Amino acid sequence: MTSENISGANTSIYPLRIAPTRRYLVARDGSPFLIHGDTAWSLISALSSDEVEQYLANREAKGFNSIIVNLIEHKFNGPINRYGESPFSVPGDLTT
């Protein structure tokens, strides 16, 4: 999440860090970061780029700051994305 203050300066909270106590995350300024997340497991394989933009805008508008996704979907559509592109040059070979 980023925003601009009145002077136009970037006030990003990222990168997040592990707190000195190692019990939670903190923002760039050291304040605790509360994860308010959603799970969109098949986001990469099920949605078009435009649909992803709409989904993420909707989540941001509702105050979500984190999303969990499968980078390589294997159960429903994968491992290909909505456009039929595979993450591997040799299907199923994770080393390619």
Side-chain angles (χ1 to χ4, degrees), residues 9-84:
N10 184 353
T11 57
S12 174
I13 62 171
Y14 301 105
L16 299 177
R17 299 183 315 271
I18 298 173
T21 62
R22 306 193 60 78
R23 297 190 64 189
Y24 54 91
L25 297 174
V26 294
R28 175 182 282 173
D29 66 1
S31 63
F33 179 80
L34 175 66
I35 296 173
H36 183 158
D38 193 15
T39 53
W41 297 113
S42 299
L43 181 81
I44 293 171
S45 65
L47 301 181
S48 68
S49 295
D50 288 340
E51 291 167 333
V52 169
E53 291 294 328
Q54 290 173 357
Y55 170 79
L56 293 175
N58 175 279
R59 299 290 92 185
E60 182 178 26
K62 292 180 177 170
F64 288 85
N65 61 20
S66 304
I67 303 290
I68 296 175
V69 300
N70 282 332
L71 292 178
I72 302 173
E73 172 63 62
H74 70 283
K75 189 169 184 176
F76 300 106
N77 299 322
I80 58 170
N81 65 18
R82 174 79 177 263
Y83 302 102

Side-chain angles (χ1 to χ4, degrees), residues 71-74 78-79 86-96:
L71 292 178
I72 302 173
E73 172 63 62
H74 70 283
S86 173
F88 309 113
S89 57
V90 176
D93 184 348
L94 278 65
T95 65
T96 62

